[in-house]
Amino acid sequence: MAADHPETDGRLLERGVERDLLERLLDQVAAGQGCIEALEGPAGIGKTQLMLAARASAQSRGFRIGRATGAALETDFSFGVVRQLFEPLLAEADRSGHGGQLFTGAAAAAGTVLSGALGARPDEAPGAVLHGLYWLTVGLARRGAPLLLICDDAHWFDGPSLRFLAYLAARIDELPVGVLLAGRPPGRGSEADLLSRLLATPGVHRTKPDPLSDRAVAELVERWMDDPPAAEFCQAVAQASRGNPFLVAEISRVTRDSGLTPTAANARRLPDVSADAAVMERIGALPQEDLAVARAVAVLGTDAHLRHVAVMCDTDVDTAGRTADWLFRAEILDPARPIRFVHPLIGWAVYEDLPPGERSALHRQAAAVLAGEGAPAQRRARHLLLTEPAGDPEVAAVLFSAARSALAEGSTDNAVAQLRRALAEPPPADRRLDIVLALGTAESVVMDPHAIDHLDEAIALLPDAAHRLAVATTRAIALGLAGRPAEAVASLEVLGRTLPEESSLELLAAFAFVGTSSPSAAVLVAERATTLALRVTGADDGIPAGVLGVRAYVAACACEPEERVVEFARRALSTVHSHDRLLPAWFHLPVAALLMLDLGGEAAAALEQHLATARRSGAPVLVAIALFLRALIAFRSGDLDDARADAGASLDGCVEYGLSFVLPGPLGVLVDVLREQGDLAGAAALLEAHPLEHGIGESVFDLFLLPARGRLRGGEGHFEQALADLELGRRLSLKCGGRSPNPMNWTAEIAFGMALASHPEAVVHARQSLREAQQTGGRRDLAEAQRVCAMTGDRGTAALATAAGDAFRALGARLEECRTHLAYGASPDVVGTPGQQQAYEEGLRLAQRCAATRLPETADHLTTGAGRNGRLNPVRWCPATTSSSRRICGTPTWCPTVTASAHRGRTDPCHHAAIRPCRNPRYFRDRVRNRDHDPPAPSTPPRRCIRPILKTHDDGSVRTRA
């Protein structure tokens, strides 16, 4: 139960704990540390009153305040809540002459959403909108006063606004920004899932106000009644309301207005009042002209300015204003402008009481009022979505324009809703193709099954053959991802009969592209992929970029010469521009080809350059794949922290949009990272939490989950299951057109698992992997084969391990280099020699750099299994910082502290005195990438740790010398 607290407004009872929490939040924000406080509870529990109290306190402290309230009718209004939060703040900045300065640097991209604000540049290609809004928040917070964002009724927020708040939540702790979030517990639906993930963000503090006690209910009843209420009567009200303050007030009001005295005898006659019933009883007693104003406010929502209400009620502004004043005295409307209800329950009850026909007419009238003032299409579209179709060409045009704006902002879900409504109007015949094509394309990027039918209609209407093939490829990919690869191939075959000869290469590339959707599809198009490889042997100027992109992937999987694959991939990627509105659907294929050739740096640069394009395209498939590839690059480089962050973001996108075919990819990377960090139980729990909707082997991304699951099972000691996963992965790879060792060195993986299980066939598979790698010439593949040969005790162990370590070092694969050192130290050739100690130390140093905590824990087991007698001298390491914080703070990438006196068991501490721990490496990385917003340089440079010089003595001990 909340503790008592002296209230100042007389309306907040037993909310002392909650008010103290909000005051502490304001103190924290005033001190420069941002945070988020979320109030959760049912309607009427008092969340809004707590927000108002916090707002009053923040105003008295000089905070800059943004306020937004969700509405059930505005969830399809892209960034509607963001506009409520920022537009008044930008207007204030404009009046002070600072408005244009807020949209500099990365914040300029926020102009795509806040297009009416000074400094916005809507003519630019739509930038990374969420990133731009974040930097706009930074700019507002740096204008001399802390910033407080008050977000009420979050359960009715639109999806893009919730994504922005989630983006801000991960970076808020270094900003003087506070967010107060209030809403009912999340229900079901995409927005509810977004809200749930926002509330689950680390650092978001959640508070659930308790129901009022019987004593507080009695006090509240006494305020409403003309006569002192009896204790039995108050007890009956407490039971009927369950301590909900709103219901206590409504029950008391109805009882008083009905003339029932609050005596013990009347306790049983207490009216059975629900929130909606109580509100409707109040609304039903209103005169007709007052009811018209209330209904206009309910329909207009955030656009309920007095001038709009007057037009909709066919009266003048003064008359409408006097009616609004009367409704304020009746505690129905709030005196604020724009006009709003005193409680969302009242507004929702008024709206729900409207008959469907009248509701549609009022929304159409509201759209006309906004059109008369030149309001943007998106503001008008949210009303037109709720009107009855009438065959009005203007309605279809407005909805189509609003959908294009939503797509530019990345709000694909909202665009789909608007395009479907435009199609239902219906539009004129000459505009139908544009709408159907846009709708099918938008549905395809969010994996909506209706995309197949709409794209089919668009193909029939398109006059241009090249355009028909592009749309048909998109439709075939959608069919393949929907588990219908035979239909996908058949649809392209039918279309191919009508295409001219000059489109034959594009058609072959389309078949090969469809083959990347699943192993089954790859089998169906294998012959055509081979034909494509035979016909395209060089990156000639006349070959389309899409063909080259697909050809690069096919060549990499088939282990064709490296120079050819690189030429295909580079030529394809050179056609992609960072300011394009849409990223080509085949973009990830040449990036994956570069990654298979161990050109991770070049692949990462391409992803870094175009990831913002993928985000703003509103195509979650492309974003999820791009983040997965970046996570895979980070993992292969040994940057486990970055790999975990990107893979987690990709997995979240897969869950949010139902991208079950991509999900195995980031899931596999996360499982690998958790295993390397020693959390085998967490990795196993992650697999259980994300069961695949399809059967294993139906997605090409299963090729990344199977080895990760196999390694995890091997780490758990289940070697038979581990080898079964690896064998299944190898078979699937062959079905997808891969030739070992691409896209993964399956033979080396199997040999490694066999070596761990002491399988007699381990040496045979190790030698086979070495032969395959020598034939293809892949540097990483050769190093992996050499290492596994060394592990199996094959001849020349020391030389093989040394060569593998040198190769991994040249590739920048620190994690693999670490494994190689530890495997070398466990081999029989070096056990008990000084070289074993050196390998052990070097492996632990690299493990610390990668934050791979499991490798040091298992190193002793490896050396023991190799027959080592005695223990190695201990080596201790500073706690690992994340790779991002090391980059930003300027600390060395490793910082060992070696025992100076091993026999005394002491370690020398290593401190970064001038470096504050980086709590949010993503935030600092964003600051570095936006030089316009860089913080001032520190007055004193950070102290760097000095690497001691190690010397190994004949007895195996380690000493330091200056």
Side-chain angles (χ1 to χ4, degrees):
M1 181 64 61
D4 290 335
H5 187 86
E7 309 294 348
T8 58
D9 59 6
R11 303 185 70 177
L12 288 171
L13 295 173
E14 295 185 332
R15 293 292 179 256
V17 170
E18 290 82 358
R19 294 192 65 172
D20 288 343
L21 283 173
L22 297 182
E23 289 297 326
R24 284 197 292 271
L25 175 141
L26 296 179
D27 292 339
Q28 188 174 338
V29 174
Q33 184 176 356
C35 53
I36 296 182
E37 180 73 32
L39 299 174
E40 294 181 79
I45 201 66
K47 303 182 297 294
T48 299
Q49 293 301 320
L50 284 168
M51 303 282 267
L52 292 175
R55 180 188 182 192
S57 178
Q59 285 176 331
S60 67
R61 294 174 180 231
F63 275 60
R64 187 171 286 107
I65 299 174
R67 184 183 180 190
T69 302
L73 307 180
E74 300 183 12
T75 55
D76 290 327
F77 186 23
S78 300
F79 292 105
V81 169
V82 166
R83 290 178 169 93
Q84 289 187 60
L85 286 173
F86 287 110
E87 284 178 348
L89 294 171
L90 295 174
E92 177 188 347
D94 182 31
R95 289 191 294 270
S96 63
H98 299 289
Q101 300 174 11
L102 293 171
F103 287 92
T104 58
T112 305
V113 172
L114 303 166
S115 56
L118 274 180
R121 292 178 287 180
D123 56 309
E124 287 187 347
V129 176
L130 298 182
H131 196 56
L133 289 170
Y134 164 73
W135 281 107
L136 176 62
T137 307
V138 173
L140 287 168
R142 289 179 176 174
R143 291 189 55 235
L147 179 64
L148 179 66
L149 302 179
I150 299 177
C151 306
D152 202 0
D153 289 327
H155 53 280
W156 282 331
F157 280 12
D158 61 278
S161 294
L162 285 171
R163 292 189 183 95
F164 162 67
L165 291 174
Y167 190 90
L168 177 63
R171 299 158 176 81
I172 199 173
D173 57 350
E174 298 292 337
L175 300 175
V177 177
V179 177
L180 292 182
L181 198 69
R184 303 176 195 173
R188 295 182 178 179
S190 57
E191 283 79 12
D193 292 340
L194 286 171
L195 179 58
S196 298
R197 283 198 290 276
L198 169 60
L199 295 175
T201 302
V204 175
H205 185 263
R206 303 168 71 171
T207 302
K208 297 182 179 181
D210 292 322
L212 297 180
S213 67
D214 291 352
R215 182 171 59 84
V217 170
E219 182 179 345
L220 192 55
V221 171
E222 187 174 356
R223 295 180 185 179
W224 278 100
M225 294 299 174
D226 297 330
D227 301 323
E232 294 82 358
F233 184 87
C234 294
Q235 181 66 29
V237 173
Q239 292 178 357
S241 65
R242 297 182 181 178
N244 185 294
F246 181 82
L247 286 179
V248 171
E250 291 303 322
I251 291 173
S252 301
R253 183 200 304 273
V254 173
T255 302
R256 183 195 61 189
D257 294 346
S258 63
L260 193 67
T261 56
T263 63
N266 288 331
R268 294 184 179 180
R269 300 175 57 192
L270 196 68
D272 183 14
V273 177
S274 65
D276 289 344
V279 170
M280 290 315 303
E281 186 167 342
R282 293 167 58 186
I283 298 301
L286 292 177
Q288 190 61 35
E289 58 273 15
D290 297 348
L291 184 59
V293 169
R295 287 176 170 175
V297 173
V299 168
L300 285 166
T302 55
D303 287 317
H305 297 278
L306 198 57
R307 64 183 185 277
H308 298 159
V309 173
V311 173
M312 291 190 64
C313 295
D314 196 19
T315 186
D316 57 86
V317 172
D318 293 335
T319 302
R322 285 192 291 270
T323 304
D325 292 341
W326 191 93
L327 292 173
F328 162 62
R329 288 191 292 271
E331 296 194 28
I332 293 175
L333 295 183
D334 191 280
R337 296 294 186 268
I339 306 173
R340 65 182 70 188
F341 291 92
V342 294
H343 198 283
L345 282 174
I346 299 176
W348 183 244
V350 172
Y351 184 80
E352 283 292 289
D353 188 53
L354 285 170
E358 186 174 355
R359 185 184 304 171
S360 173
L362 287 174
H363 277 295
R364 197 180 302 276
Q365 188 179 3
V369 170
L370 294 175
E373 292 192 348
Q378 286 231 49
R379 285 176 62 189
R380 297 157 60 191
R382 66 187 180 90
H383 291 290
L384 295 176
L385 280 169
L386 300 170
T387 60
E388 295 286 347
D392 187 345
E394 179 62 22
V395 170
V398 171
L399 289 167
F400 181 63
S401 176
R404 292 182 61 184
S405 299
L407 288 172
E409 296 168 358
S411 306
T412 311
D413 292 334
N414 292 342
V416 167
Q418 291 160 351
L419 289 168
R420 286 177 177 172
R421 175 62 185 82
L423 201 61
E425 185 61 19
D430 59 341
R431 298 302 307 274
R432 185 174 182 86
L433 172 60
D434 294 336
I435 295 175
V436 169
L437 182 58
L439 176 57
T441 304
E443 288 171 332
S444 69
V445 300
V446 294
M447 296 306 299
D448 191 300
H450 294 92
I452 296 170
D453 295 332
H454 289 134
L455 290 174
D456 192 29
E457 181 180 352
I459 293 170
L461 295 173
L462 281 168
D464 181 66
H467 202 174
R468 284 205 311 275
L469 178 57
V471 176
T473 304
T474 302
R475 181 178 181 274
I477 288 290
L479 282 168
L481 298 179
R484 298 154 62 182
E487 292 182 49
V489 174
S491 67
L492 288 178
E493 289 175 341
V494 171
L495 181 67
R497 301 188 189 107
T498 66
L499 294 177
E501 178 61 28
E502 55 266 24
S503 300
S504 58
L505 274 183
E506 289 93 326
L507 182 61
L508 286 173
F511 277 113
F513 191 8
V514 169
T516 65
S517 62
S518 71
S520 300
V523 172
L524 294 173
V525 301
E527 182 179 349
R528 293 177 175 85
T530 302
T531 305
L532 177 68
L534 293 174
R535 291 191 56 183
V536 181
T537 57
D540 300 332
D541 292 337
I543 301 178
V547 175
L548 291 175
V550 176
R551 180 69 178 88
Y553 180 79
V554 171
C557 290
C559 297
E560 294 186 27
E562 179 176 337
E563 60 275 8
R564 180 183 300 174
V565 180
V566 172
E567 183 182 9
F568 289 146
R570 288 175 178 170
R571 285 289 302 275
L573 291 173
S574 67
T575 65
V576 182
H577 301 290
S578 58
H579 293 292
D580 286 346
R581 285 182 176 267
L582 294 176
L583 201 63
W586 47 260
F587 166 75
H588 61 284
L589 295 181
V591 174
L594 293 174
L595 183 55
M596 281 188 270
L597 296 178
D598 300 311
L599 298 176
E602 190 171 345
L607 289 172
E608 197 66 32
Q609 181 181 3
H610 300 296
L611 184 57
T613 305
R615 291 185 187 278
R616 67 177 175 250
S617 69
V621 176
L622 293 178
V623 175
I625 294 176
L627 287 173
F628 156 67
L629 289 174
R630 197 168 73 172
L632 189 60
I633 293 169
F635 180 77
R636 286 163 65 98
S637 301
D639 296 326
L640 297 187
D641 295 308
D642 285 352
R644 185 171 184 170
D646 283 333
S650 178
L651 185 64
D652 286 345
C654 292
V655 172
E656 178 182 345
Y657 289 99
L659 308 178
S660 59
F661 72 100
V662 179
L663 187 144
L667 180 60
V669 175
L670 277 176
V671 168
D672 267 333
V673 170
L674 290 174
R675 178 184 52 80
E676 294 292 353
Q677 294 181 336
D679 189 4
L680 300 186
L686 188 66
L687 286 173
E688 293 180 3
H690 296 283
L692 299 183
E693 296 180 7
H694 56 76
I696 198 74
E698 293 184 13
S699 168
V700 70
F701 290 92
D702 291 335
L703 296 176
F704 301 93
L705 178 60
L706 283 169
R709 194 173 72 178
R711 296 182 195 115
L712 175 61
R713 289 175 171 176
E716 294 172 335
H718 307 305
F719 294 111
E720 290 186 3
Q721 296 179 7
L723 292 175
D725 276 342
L726 295 175
E727 288 286 357
L728 176 58
R730 179 164 62 176
R731 292 197 300 270
L732 289 178
S733 180
L734 294 174
K735 287 179 65 177
C736 290
R739 174 192 167 197
S740 185
N742 272 347
M744 188 171 296
N745 197 338
W746 294 102
T747 309
E749 288 279 354
I750 293 171
F752 180 79
M754 288 181 170
L756 292 179
S758 301
H759 196 286
E761 295 293 321
V763 175
V764 175
H765 281 77
R767 291 176 179 175
Q768 180 184 347
S769 70
L770 185 60
R771 289 193 299 270
E772 292 175 351
Q774 289 171 341
Q775 290 173 0
T776 59
R779 291 167 293 174
R780 179 184 289 265
D781 301 324
L782 183 60
E784 289 176 349
Q786 289 171 334
R787 180 178 61 198
V788 76
C789 284
M791 284 187 60
T792 57
D794 205 356
R795 57 187 180 275
T797 295
L800 286 171
T802 302
D806 292 342
F808 285 129
R809 187 180 305 110
L811 290 171
R814 293 192 298 269
L815 191 62
E816 301 303 326
E817 185 184 356
C818 171
R819 287 198 187 98
T820 305
H821 282 297
L822 296 179
Y824 175 70
S827 61
D829 290 356
V830 297
V831 168
T833 68
Q836 183 190 24
Q837 178 73 35
Q838 292 174 352
Y840 185 65
E841 293 159 2
E842 186 67 12
L844 290 181
R845 179 182 72 82
L846 290 168
Q848 189 275 333
R849 289 183 64 183
C850 299
T853 57
R854 181 172 177 268
L855 285 174
E857 294 171 0
T858 57
D860 188 67
H861 169 72
L862 287 173
T863 51
T864 301
R868 174 178 55 81
N869 295 318
R871 295 187 58 80
L872 296 173
N873 290 320
V875 180
R876 298 290 183 263
W877 307 90
C878 293
T881 56
T882 65
S883 57
S884 296
S885 61
R886 289 194 297 269
R887 282 200 305 271
I888 301 308
C889 297
T891 60
T893 54
W894 57 274
C895 181
T897 304
V898 183
T899 55
S901 301
H903 66 280
R904 287 189 301 227
R906 295 196 326 210
T907 59
D908 298 328
C910 174
H911 301 286
H912 300 285
I915 300 174
R916 183 158 58 98
C918 179
R919 289 169 301 177
N920 196 328
R922 286 278 176 187
Y923 166 71
F924 283 101
R925 183 162 69 186
D926 290 337
R927 290 169 75 170
V928 166
R929 291 177 183 169
N930 294 271
R931 302 296 181 184
D932 293 337
H933 298 282
D934 276 352
S939 57
T940 57
R943 276 173 41 194
R944 292 178 177 268
C945 299
I946 306 301
R947 176 182 182 181
I949 300 176
L950 308 182
K951 183 177 181 181
T952 304
H953 295 269
D954 294 336
D955 60 357
S957 62
V958 180
R959 300 289 186 269
T960 61
R961 59 187 175 88

